[in-house]
C-alpha cells in the first residue's frame, strides 16, 4: 500500500468509527434506560401510575423516531402521524381479536404488529404517491386532513366475524347480521374492545430497538444519503441523478409503517380502542417531541418523548402547578436545543470530551 | 462527432427572450467557454441543457442523441453533470457523503441491503469510499472528508461541487462560474485542476466565467452571449480580439 492510500484509509476509518460510535451510543442509551427502569420496577420503587405509562412511553418514542425520519431527514412536514398510528392500532387489534385463540399468544401478537405496520405503510404510500411529487408544503396539508378523515371513517365502521366470514356495515352492529355464534369486532365509535393485552414494557423496548435499527441503518445507507441530499437541495439532488420523489416516498412510507407498529403496541396495551385518542393533538404532541428533541436528532427525539410523557404523570401531585412546570420545561428544552449560545456551549463541551466531536465535524 | 450539439435553442420568460436562437457544437475533449455580461442568458443555457427549463424551441443533442425535454435526472444519467452559480451543496452531509451521493447511480444496492447490513452494502460502500477519496484528492479535499459541507470555506465549497459532479461520471461537465469568489491563487490552482480533470477523466467541459484570466488561460474556444443572442463564436484568441466583443463586453 502506498502513502496516499494509507492516508486515505486512515481518514475513512476515522469517519466510519465516528459513525459506528454514534449509532452505538443510541442503542446503549435505550438499553441503559430500560435497565434502570426495570430495576426500579423489580425493587418496587416505582408508582403504579408510572408503571402504567411505561408502554405508552415506548409508543411515543417509536412515533417520535419515525416522525423524525420524515421531518428531520426527509425535510417534509407531516401533521397526521396519529392517523398512521390509528391504522396500525385498528388493523392489528382487528386481527388479534378475529384470530382469538386460534394462534398462540406470542405468534399472534407478532403477526398483529407486522399487520399494523404493513397497513399503515401501504396507506402512507398511497398518500405519498400523489402528494410528494409536488414541491412545497402540500404534505402538511394533506396529512392534516388525512388524520381527521381516518378518524371519522373508522367511527362509522362496524365489522364482525362468524362462520360465514367477515361482515361489514356502516350503520350499526345489528346491521351486520351476524349468526348467533358470531362476534362483533369493530363497533363504530365504540371501537374495539377486549383486545388481548400482549404489550409489555420489554416488548415495547424491543420494538424501540427495532425502530432504531431500521431508521439508523436506513439513514446511513445509499437510500439515506439520497433522502438527506433531497432535503438539503432538491435541484442539486436531481442534477446528480437522484430520483427525489422516490426517496421522499420511501422515507414517508417507512415512517408510516413504524407509526403503525407503535399503534399496534398501543392497541394491545390497554385492550380497548377507539379513535378519539388518535386526534390532531396526538399528531402535534409527537411533532413537539421531534422539534424539542432537535430536528434530525434521534437521541433527542427519544429523550424528549420520555421526559414529556413521564413528567405530567410524575407531577400529578402538584395538580395546579403541573401545566405550569410542563410549559416551563418545554421552553427550557427549546432553548437548550436551539438557542445559538446553548449550541455553542454544547459544542465546547463536546470538544473537551475524549470521544467528543471536534468543532465543525459531524456526529 | 461533436459531444454537444445545440440548434436554434430558445426560451422566453413572459416577453423576455432570455436565450434566442442559440447554436453551438462542442467537440469531444474541448474546454469551451461561455461568456457575456450579466443577464446575458448564460445560466439559462445551462438550465436548458440540464432539463431545469424546457426550451420553447430548438434541439439539444448529446453524442448525437436527442436529449431535448428530458428530465434533469435522465439527462444526468445520459452523461451531463453541472455545478451551480449560487452553490448548492448538501450542507448537512459530510464532504465525503456529498461525493458519494454523486455515485448514487453507479454503486447500487437495495434499501433492504442497507437496512439489514447485507454484504453487498459493505462492498458498495467500500468501493464508493475509495473512489470518492480519489476524486477528493484531485481537488485537495481529502483532509476535509469528514467535515460538514456547509462548514467548508467558500473556495473549497466550489471545488466540492465539481467533485460531486465528477462522481456521476459525466461525459460533459458544465461549470457555472467556478472561480467566483476565489482569490487569484485559488483561481490559478483551479485552472490547473480543471485542465487535469479534462485530461484524466476523458471529459468535455463547458464553463461560464467572468474571470478573463481564467477564460483566456484555459478555454480553447468561446461563445459570447449578449441579450440572449450569440455575439461571437470561435477560437479564444480570435473571439477576444473581435471589436464587437470588446465594445459589448470587455470594454475598451
Ligand atoms: N425563471 C426565470 N423567470 C424569469 N426570468 C428569468 C428566469 N431565469 C432567468 N431569467 C432572466 O433571464 C435573463 C438571463 O438570466 P441568466 O441567469 O441566464 O443570466 P446570466 O448570463 O447567467 O447572468 P450572470 O452573469 O449574472 O449570472 C435575465 O434577465 C434573468 O432575469
Ligand atoms: Mg449566471
Amino acid at each position: 500500500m502506498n502513502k496516499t492510500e494509507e492516508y486515505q484509509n486512515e481518514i475513512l476509518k476515522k469517519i466510519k468509527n465516528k459513525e459506528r460510535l454514534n449509532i452505538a451510543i443510541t442503542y446503549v442509551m435505550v438499553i441503559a434506560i430500560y435497565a434502570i427502569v426495570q430495576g426500579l420496577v423489580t425493587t418496587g420503587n416505582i408508582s403504579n401510575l408510572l408503571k402504567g405509562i411505561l408502554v405508552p412511553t415506548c409508543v411515543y418514542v417509536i412515533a417520535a423516531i419515525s416522525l423524525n425520519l420524515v421531518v428531520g431527514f426527509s425535510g417534509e412536514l407531516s401533521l397526521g402521524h396519529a392517523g398512521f398510528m390509528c391504522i396500525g392500532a385498528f388493523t392489528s387489534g382487528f386481527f388479534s381479536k378475529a384470530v382469538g385463540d386460534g394462534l398462540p399468544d406470542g405468534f399472534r401478537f407478532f403477526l398483529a404488529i407486522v399487520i399494523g405496520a404493513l397497513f399503515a405503510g401501504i396507506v402512507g404510500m398511497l398518500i405519498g404517491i400523489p402528494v410528494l411529487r409536488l414541491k412545497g408544503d402540500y404534505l402538511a396539508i394533506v396529512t392534516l386532513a388525512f388524520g381527521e378523515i381516518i378518524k371519522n371513517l373508522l367511527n362509522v365502521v362496524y365489522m364482525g366475524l362468524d362462520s360465514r366470514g367477515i361482515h361489514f356495515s356502516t350503520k350499526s352492529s345489528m346491521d351486520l347480521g351476524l349468526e348467533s355464534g358470531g362476534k362483533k369486532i369493530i363497533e363504530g365509535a365504540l371501537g374495539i374492545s377486549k383486545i388481548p393485552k400482549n404489550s409489555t414494557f420489554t416488548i415495547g423496548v424491543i420494538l424501540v430497538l427495532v425502530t432504531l435499527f431500521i431508521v439508523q441503518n436506513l439513514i446511513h445507507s445509499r437510500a439515506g444519503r439520497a433522502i438527506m441530499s433531497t432535503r438539503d437541495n432538491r435541484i442539486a439532488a436531481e442534477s446528480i441523478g437522484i430520483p427525489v420523489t422516490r426517496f421522499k416516498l420511501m422515507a414517508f412510507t417507512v415512517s408510516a409503517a413504524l407509526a403503525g407498529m407503535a399503534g399496534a403496541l398501543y392497541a394491545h396495551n390497554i385492550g380497548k380502542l377507539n379513535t378519539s385518542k388518535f386526534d390532531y393533538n396526538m399528531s402535534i404532541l409527537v411533532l413537539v417531541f421531534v422539534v424539542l428533541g432537535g430536528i434530525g436528532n434521534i437521541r433527542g427525539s427519544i429523550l424528549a418523548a420520555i421526559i414529556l410523557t413521564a413528567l405530567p404523570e410524575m407531577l400529578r401531585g402538584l395538580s395546579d402547578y403541573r401545566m405550569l412546570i410542563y410549559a416551563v420545561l418545554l421552553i427550557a428544552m427549546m432553548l437548550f436545543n436551539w438557542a445559538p449560545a446553548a449550541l455553542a456551549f454544547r459544542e465546547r463541551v463536546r470538544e473537551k470530551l475524549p470521544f467528543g466531536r471536534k468543532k465543525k465535524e459531524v456526529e | 462527432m461533436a459531444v454537444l450539439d445545440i440548434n436554434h435553442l430558445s426560451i422566453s420568460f413572459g416577453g423576455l427572450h432570455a436565450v434566442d436562437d442559440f447554436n453551438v457544437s462542442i467537440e469531444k475533449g474541448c474546454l469551451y467557454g461561455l461568456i457575456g455580461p450579466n443577464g446575458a442568458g448564460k445560466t439559462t443555457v445551462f438550465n436548458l441543457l440540464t432539463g431545469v427549463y424546457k426550451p420553447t424551441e430548438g434541439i439539444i443533442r448529446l453524442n448525437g442523441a436527442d436529449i431535448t425535454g428530458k428530465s434533469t435526472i435522465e439527462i444526468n444519467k445520459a452523461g451531463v453533470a453541472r455545478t451551480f452559480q449560487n452553490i448548492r451543496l448538501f450542507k448537512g452531509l459530510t464532504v465525503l457523503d456529498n461525493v458519494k451521493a454523486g455515485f448514487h447511480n453507479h454503486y447500487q444496492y437495495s434499501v433492504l441491503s442497507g437496512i439489514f447490513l447485507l454484504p453487498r452494502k459493505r462492498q458498495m460502500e467500500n468501493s464508493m469510499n475509495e473512489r470518492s477519496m480519489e476524486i477528493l484528492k484531485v481537488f485537495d479535499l481529502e483532509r476535509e472528508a469528514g467535515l460538514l459541507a456547509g462548514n467548508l470555506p467558500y473556495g473549497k465549497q466550489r471545488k466540492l461541487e465539481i467533485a460531486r459532479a465528477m462522481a456521476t461520471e459525466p461525459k460533459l461537465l458544465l461549470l457555472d462560474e467556478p472561480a467566483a469568489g476565489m482569490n487569484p491563487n485559488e483561481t490559478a490552482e483551479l485552472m490547473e485542476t480543471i485542465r487535469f480533470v479534462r485530461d484524466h477523466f476523458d471529459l468535455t467541459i463547458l464553463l461560464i466565467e467572468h474571470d478573463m484570466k481564467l477564460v483566456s488561460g484555459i478555454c480553447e474556444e468561446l461563445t459570447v452571449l449578449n441579450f440572449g443572442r450569440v455575439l461571437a463564436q470561435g477560437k479564444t484568441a480570435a473571439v477576444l480580439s473581435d471589436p464587437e466583443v470588446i465594445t459589448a463586453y470587455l470594454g475598451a
Side-chain angles (χ1 to χ4, degrees):
Chain A
M1 216 191 298
N2 64 38
K3 252 209 164 100
T4 41
E5 266 179 60
E6 237 171 80
Y7 179 59
Q8 293 182 348
N9 282 335
E10 212 173 286
I11 295 174
L12 285 172
K13 214 163 151 192
K14 256 193 209 155
I15 295 174
K16 262 190 235 165
N17 286 340
K18 194 177 277 176
E19 191 179 293
R20 287 206 190 110
L21 183 73
N22 189 32
I23 292 175
I25 288 175
T26 316
Y27 292 125
V28 170
M29 185 184 91
V30 169
I31 293 169
I33 293 173
Y34 170 70
I36 293 169
V37 173
Q38 200 64 307
L40 290 176
V41 171
T42 40
T43 55
N45 276 321
I46 200 165
S47 72
N48 277 335
L49 213 62
L50 276 179
K51 231 191 249 172
I53 61 160
L54 291 180
V55 175
T57 304
C58 294
V59 171
Y60 282 121
V61 167
I62 296 169
I65 297 170
S66 61
L67 184 62
N68 208 343
L69 183 59
V70 172
V71 176
F73 294 95
S74 168
E76 295 281 334
L77 188 54
S78 168
L79 298 175
H81 219 51
F84 296 114
M85 295 167 74
C86 186
I87 290 176
F90 270 80
T91 50
S92 66
F94 178 89
F95 172 79
S96 290
K97 212 179 160 191
V99 170
D101 296 330
L103 285 172
D105 263 23
F107 185 57
R108 186 192 58 218
F109 187 35
F110 172 76
L111 284 183
I113 290 169
V114 172
I115 285 172
L118 200 69
F119 273 88
I122 290 170
V123 174
M125 188 151 81
L126 292 178
I127 291 176
I129 287 171
V131 177
L132 287 168
R133 296 162 170 272
L134 308 170
K135 291 168 197 161
D137 282 333
Y138 294 98
L139 191 70
I141 301 165
V142 173
T143 48
L144 178 62
F146 159 73
E148 290 305 303
I149 291 169
I150 198 73
K151 229 178 64 182
N152 289 312
L153 274 180
L154 281 170
N155 273 342
V156 296
V157 168
Y158 296 83
M159 279 175 102
L161 186 75
D162 63 17
S163 60
R164 283 174 297 158
I166 294 173
H167 296 250
F168 176 86
S169 162
T170 54
K171 294 201 188 77
S172 70
S173 34
M174 300 310 290
D175 193 51
L176 288 171
L178 291 174
E179 291 172 347
S180 56
K183 56 181 167 185
K184 301 174 206 163
I185 298 180
I186 304 182
E187 298 179 79
L190 293 176
I192 312 180
S193 54
K194 299 206 188 102
I195 300 169
K197 295 184 188 177
N198 295 129
S199 297
T200 63
F201 180 46
T202 303
I203 291 177
V205 172
I206 291 172
L207 292 185
V208 169
L209 292 173
V210 168
T211 305
L212 279 177
F213 184 83
I214 293 173
V215 172
Q216 297 208 97
N217 288 347
L218 178 68
I219 290 166
H220 292 100
S221 76
R222 169 176 175 264
R225 246 186 330 265
I227 290 167
M228 290 187 281
S229 53
T230 303
R231 165 199 70 191
D232 281 359
N233 202 306
R234 185 178 180 128
I235 292 177
E238 284 183 340
S239 85
I240 55 172
I242 294 176
V244 297
T245 312
R246 186 191 306 169
F247 284 98
K248 275 193 183 297
L249 184 62
M250 175 183 304
F252 190 65
T253 306
V254 171
S255 166
L258 293 172
M261 187 168 91
L265 183 66
Y266 182 90
H268 293 74
N269 180 47
I270 44 169
K272 259 207 303 248
L273 198 61
N274 60 54
T275 54
S276 63
K277 181 88 181 147
F278 299 97
D279 59 359
Y280 178 68
N281 287 326
M282 191 194 245
S283 294
I284 294 301
L285 187 64
V286 177
L287 187 62
V288 166
F289 299 154
V290 172
V291 172
L292 288 181
I295 291 172
N297 181 344
I298 292 177
R299 285 197 290 277
S301 293
I302 298 173
L303 291 175
I306 294 174
I307 294 172
L308 293 177
T309 312
L311 201 77
E313 297 301 327
M314 290 165 83
L315 295 178
R316 226 168 248 287
L318 296 170
S319 60
D320 285 353
Y321 297 102
R322 194 161 74 102
M323 287 329 277
L324 180 68
I325 295 175
Y326 189 79
V328 169
L329 186 88
L330 282 184
I331 294 169
M333 281 176 78
M334 192 152 63
L335 288 177
F336 180 72
N337 260 331
W338 295 104
L343 286 178
F345 172 77
R346 286 199 325 212
E347 201 73 51
R348 283 200 301 277
V349 172
R350 279 216 184 98
E351 268 177 79
K352 299 219 170 72
L353 297 175
F355 52 83
R357 60 178 185 182
K358 295 203 187 69
K359 209 174 179 193
K360 285 185 175 181
E361 281 182 325
V362 258
E363 290 195 306
Chain B
M1 190 181 40
V3 166
L4 182 68
D5 227 326
I6 301 181
N7 285 301
H8 306 298
L9 191 68
S10 304
I11 189 171
S12 21
F13 300 110
L16 175 81
H17 297 283
V19 174
D20 192 7
D21 195 21
F22 180 77
N23 296 282
V24 80
S25 176
I26 301 177
E27 292 301 318
K28 187 169 188 306
C30 188
L31 234 165
Y32 200 104
L34 182 58
I35 63 172
N38 292 114
K42 305 179 295 292
T43 298
T44 305
V45 168
F46 274 20
N47 285 334
L48 287 166
L49 269 173
T50 52
V52 176
Y53 299 151
K54 309 289 174 223
T56 29
E57 224 180 297
I59 294 179
I60 305 165
R61 283 197 189 85
L62 185 72
N63 286 320
D66 188 352
I67 57 165
T68 327
K70 292 212 162 142
S71 74
T72 305
I73 296 162
E74 285 170 316
I75 290 174
N76 175 259
K77 284 185 179 168
V80 181
R82 71 175 291 185
T83 65
F84 297 87
Q85 182 172 352
N86 47 341
I87 299 173
R88 289 177 175 277
L89 284 172
F90 308 131
K91 292 198 173 132
L93 300 188
T94 59
V95 168
L96 180 69
D97 274 339
N98 267 268
V99 179
K100 282 166 83 176
F103 279 120
H104 183 85
N105 289 318
H106 297 280
Y107 292 90
Q108 306 199 0
Y109 58 86
S110 68
V111 184
L112 290 183
S113 319
I115 291 177
F116 295 106
L117 310 172
L118 302 184
R120 176 150 175 100
K121 174 185 188 179
R122 212 186 47 226
Q123 285 164 18
M124 290 296 111
E125 288 287 322
N126 283 344
S127 316
M128 248 187 274
N129 282 338
E130 266 170 45
R131 291 283 308 278
S132 301
M133 288 308 272
E134 275 167 31
I135 293 182
L136 284 175
K137 184 173 162 53
V138 171
F139 294 91
D140 195 22
L141 286 169
E142 290 165 295
R143 239 167 305 124
E144 287 87 352
L147 299 188
L148 287 186
N151 288 339
L152 285 181
Y154 196 76
K156 292 189 173 178
Q157 292 199 7
R158 286 234 172 262
K159 291 202 288 187
L160 179 56
E161 268 217 323
I162 307 178
R164 180 182 65 190
M166 294 288 304
T168 68
E169 301 178 358
K171 298 180 193 111
L172 174 67
L173 181 62
L174 311 175
L175 305 176
D176 199 342
E177 305 198 13
M182 286 189 176
N183 65 37
N185 282 337
E186 287 175 316
T187 305
E189 213 181 283
L190 180 72
M191 286 166 66
E192 280 311 307
T193 314
I194 291 176
R195 259 201 222 100
F196 180 87
V197 294
R198 191 264 312 260
D199 296 341
H200 285 76
F201 294 87
D202 200 24
L203 269 176
T204 307
I205 297 177
L206 172 58
L207 67 86
I208 297 174
E209 191 47 72
H210 283 293
D211 186 326
M212 289 320 290
K213 229 168 113 195
L214 185 146
V215 170
S216 57
I218 63 173
C219 292
E220 289 138 4
E221 286 181 59
L222 283 184
T223 289
V224 186
L225 267 187
N226 197 21
F227 296 113
R229 303 195 67 112
V230 174
L231 187 69
Q233 206 160 50
K235 294 273 179 245
T236 300
V239 169
L240 291 183
S241 53
D242 185 326
E244 238 188 299
V245 174
I246 292 172
T247 43
Y249 180 47
L250 300 174

